[in-house]
Amino acid sequence: MIDAVHPRGPGGPERARPRRGRAACALAAAVAALCAPAGGARADVVRTNYVLHCSGCHGFDGAGAPSAGVPSMKGTVGHFLRTSEGRAFLVQVPGTANSSLNDADTAALLNWIVKTMSAAEMPPDFAPYTTSEVTRLRAARPVDITAVRARIVTDLQKLGYAIR
């Protein structure tokens, strides 16, 4: 590391200590990387993506507006992960499928939504969404998403899950 030269001139006691700013920055970056959630998705970025891409309809708390046709995610979205069709549905709803987020950010956001809004309803064998899964499911959108949701809800109700 190169010594910083004191502004009064080179050499002697005026010489400053070696710069430690770069080392401190590198250490801070390493600590931040270790503290970030698995998968590299930073929690603050994922929360911001929720606010920007989901809260306009579902609200900041995920309660939605059921009387206006926007379902609540609180205490319910985890149930959708109990069937492969339900899991696909969460990627294929228009708000997700048409989002400007890339597939990696969408996977991180879906994982955050499920864990934040419906952790108690998640199946015990929950596997986080992956980028490749989101890519595949976004490319295979159903024609009538409302009918798909109705069928999933009926199937989940038959299995004993309270969902509307």
Side-chain angles (χ1 to χ4, degrees):
M1 189 173 293
I2 299 174
D3 287 344
V5 177
H6 193 278
R8 292 186 198 154
E14 288 87 14
R15 205 147 187 71
R17 293 184 177 172
R19 291 187 187 201
R20 291 188 173 91
R22 288 185 187 150
C25 287
L27 178 61
V31 170
L34 290 172
C35 294
R42 289 184 26 228
D44 58 335
V45 171
V46 177
R47 279 191 299 271
T48 299
N49 282 338
Y50 176 82
V51 170
L52 294 174
H53 297 278
C54 308
S55 69
C57 294
H58 290 282
F60 291 108
D61 64 351
S67 63
V70 180
S72 174
M73 291 191 279
K74 292 173 67 171
T76 60
V77 75
H79 289 309
F80 282 82
L81 300 170
R82 297 181 182 280
T83 69
S84 58
E85 189 175 31
R87 184 177 175 94
F89 171 81
L90 296 179
V91 177
Q92 296 167 337
V93 294
T96 306
N98 297 324
S99 167
S100 63
L101 292 174
N102 66 39
D103 294 339
D105 289 341
T106 298
L109 178 56
L110 286 167
N111 293 326
W112 181 86
I113 287 170
V114 171
K115 291 175 184 176
T116 302
M117 309 226 174
S118 196
E121 293 75 25
M122 288 173 26
D125 61 347
F126 168 70
Y129 283 97
T130 64
T131 302
S132 60
E133 179 183 22
V134 170
T135 302
R136 179 177 51 80
L137 293 172
R138 273 182 156 171
R141 298 181 201 178
V143 174
D144 188 350
I145 197 74
T146 304
V148 170
R149 185 183 193 284
R151 184 172 55 248
I152 294 166
V153 168
T154 298
D155 291 346
L156 289 171
Q157 288 171 339
K158 286 178 185 175
L159 293 171
Y161 298 106
I163 189 168
R164 293 183 281 142

